[in-house]
Amino acid sequence: MKEATRPNQENPLNSLDQWEDDLLERYPDPKAIAQEKDTAAFRNYETPEKASVKEFYRLQHLNQTYDFVQQKRAEYLKFAQMEMSVWEAFDFLNQLVDDSDPDTDLDQLQHLLQTSEAIRAQGHPDWMVLTGLFHDMGKVLCLFGEPQWAVVGDSYPVGCAYSDKIVFSEFFADNPDFKNPLYNTKYGIYEPGCGLDNVTMTWGHDEYVYHLLKDYLPEQALYMLRYHSFYPQHRENAYAHLMTSHDKEMFKWVDLFNPFDLYSKSAVPPDWKALKPYYEDLVAKYLPAKLKF
């Protein structure tokens, strides 16, 4: 096991991929991008519902409060951890590779390449290909010492009532915000139709990578990055009351993106030697030589 985080009180998952594997079970898609196996063949674990996944969500729902999110935004959105080129960042991210995922033993870059190559194969714009390549870059938060529940997991708004459409929503009963009258109504601190840009989401890799790249990519890509884990909305429609008509239009792009994220895993590694010139040119087209993390 080479993953930087280990199962313990803060990190109950055997790997970060275990959360993504659980999504495949919750949201099987007959129009999956993967061609090599049926979606039913994903996540071939002996037990379909693992105690570690449940414990992960217990910790997330207990700890992701409005104040916690504000603290993490203040800490990490200064981007003062380190400065790296894109390719140095991928080398850094590859420290999260692990051998517990039953669907792939590829490193993080190869998995992200599978996502971006599936997008490219269907002729989508090059900025969307780049979005596929970068959508999980925010997992570097684990390498900065953050627990799993503050990096991955379904995302959702804080500062208003938690929807019962969120997985394991019963665990919110122990969250301090659950009984706070400022936060526990339908709209909480927000106004009807205020727009997602005015809503504070749980802290994790989606929010982090959105802010990392928000100055470089088109708006459609930024919605994909920021909301690709917002399953309570784009699969359950639980927070439409906070969205504008523009948000709803942009979520068509989130819906387009997610199958590539969930169903592009394959045991066949991408041919990085052949792909490298294309991706070097693509990265240079959109991003600076160095990024601050």
Side-chain angles (χ1 to χ4, degrees):
M1 172 77 76
K2 292 179 277 187
E3 186 175 328
T5 56
R6 298 183 302 277
N8 56 37
Q9 187 176 4
E10 294 292 287
N11 298 312
L13 301 181
N14 291 323
S15 74
L16 295 185
D17 288 330
Q18 196 173 350
W19 163 65
E20 293 180 347
D21 294 336
D22 182 69
L23 288 171
L24 295 174
E25 191 169 278
R26 277 193 278 145
Y27 300 116
D29 191 336
K31 298 178 181 179
I33 302 302
Q35 301 297 314
E36 293 187 12
K37 58 181 178 179
D38 185 81
T39 55
F42 280 99
R43 295 171 36 76
N44 188 21
Y45 291 100
E46 291 184 3
T47 54
E49 183 173 343
K50 294 163 293 300
S52 57
V53 173
K54 191 171 183 178
E55 175 61 9
F56 165 83
Y57 278 108
R58 187 189 71 80
L59 290 169
Q60 188 203 48
H61 295 351
L62 172 66
N63 291 293
Q64 287 271 4
T65 65
Y66 183 82
D67 287 346
F68 170 81
V69 173
Q70 296 301 332
Q71 291 166 10
K72 291 302 173 183
R73 289 170 63 93
E75 179 179 358
Y76 283 107
L77 298 188
K78 294 182 295 187
F79 295 104
Q81 302 296 316
M82 58 196 309
E83 187 174 76
M84 297 179 282
S85 72
V86 166
W87 308 112
E88 289 170 335
F90 279 120
D91 285 342
F92 185 59
L93 186 65
N94 278 345
Q95 294 179 48
L96 287 173
V97 70
D98 82 281
D99 56 10
S100 67
D101 184 352
D103 296 326
T104 180
D105 59 2
L106 304 181
D107 63 34
Q108 294 292 310
L109 174 59
Q110 289 172 312
H111 165 56
L112 293 175
L113 281 171
Q114 289 180 335
T115 303
S116 59
E117 280 296 287
I119 293 169
R120 184 158 74 123
Q122 292 203 6
H124 293 295
D126 63 357
W127 56 259
M128 186 172 170
V129 177
L130 191 65
T131 302
L133 186 68
F134 270 85
H135 75 279
D136 278 347
M137 179 58 76
K139 290 179 181 178
V140 299
L141 288 167
C142 273
L143 299 172
F144 297 150
E146 290 303 306
Q148 292 169 353
W149 55 261
V151 178
V152 297
D154 295 23
S155 62
Y156 44 86
V158 293
C160 61
Y162 301 111
S163 170
D164 61 5
K165 299 292 186 181
I166 300 171
V167 63
F168 294 119
S169 61
E170 64 270 22
F171 289 132
F172 286 120
D174 294 324
N175 184 299
D177 291 355
F178 185 78
K179 296 179 181 179
N180 187 332
L182 185 64
Y183 302 137
N184 66 3
T185 62
K186 180 177 180 179
Y187 292 100
I189 62 174
Y190 309 114
E191 297 292 333
C194 62
L196 292 180
D197 197 45
N198 295 308
V199 170
T200 300
M201 300 293 291
T202 47
W203 178 252
H205 75 288
D206 308 60
E207 188 70 8
Y208 179 74
V209 77
Y210 158 74
H211 284 280
L212 179 70
L213 299 178
K214 68 179 182 180
D215 294 333
Y216 306 113
L217 295 177
E219 184 182 24
Q220 298 94 321
L222 299 180
Y223 267 79
M224 294 173 185
L225 292 173
R226 195 175 200 178
Y227 301 115
H228 69 270
S229 301
F230 190 11
Y231 288 91
Q233 177 53 36
H234 60 74
R235 289 300 185 104
E236 306 292 349
N237 198 38
Y239 289 96
H241 55 282
L242 297 177
M243 298 170 69
T244 63
S245 58
H246 183 67
D247 287 328
K248 293 172 184 178
E249 188 66 25
M250 286 293 102
F251 260 58
K252 294 177 181 178
W253 291 96
V254 182
D255 293 339
L256 175 65
F257 174 80
N258 270 73
F260 294 103
D261 179 19
L262 288 178
Y263 305 112
S264 60
K265 283 185 179 180
S266 168
V268 179
D271 185 351
W272 174 236
K273 183 177 181 180
L275 295 174
K276 186 176 180 180
Y278 169 80
Y279 282 99
E280 287 181 333
D281 289 345
L282 181 61
V283 167
K285 177 179 177 179
Y286 286 97
L287 301 179
K290 297 265 188 180
L291 289 171
K292 292 183 179 180
F293 288 81

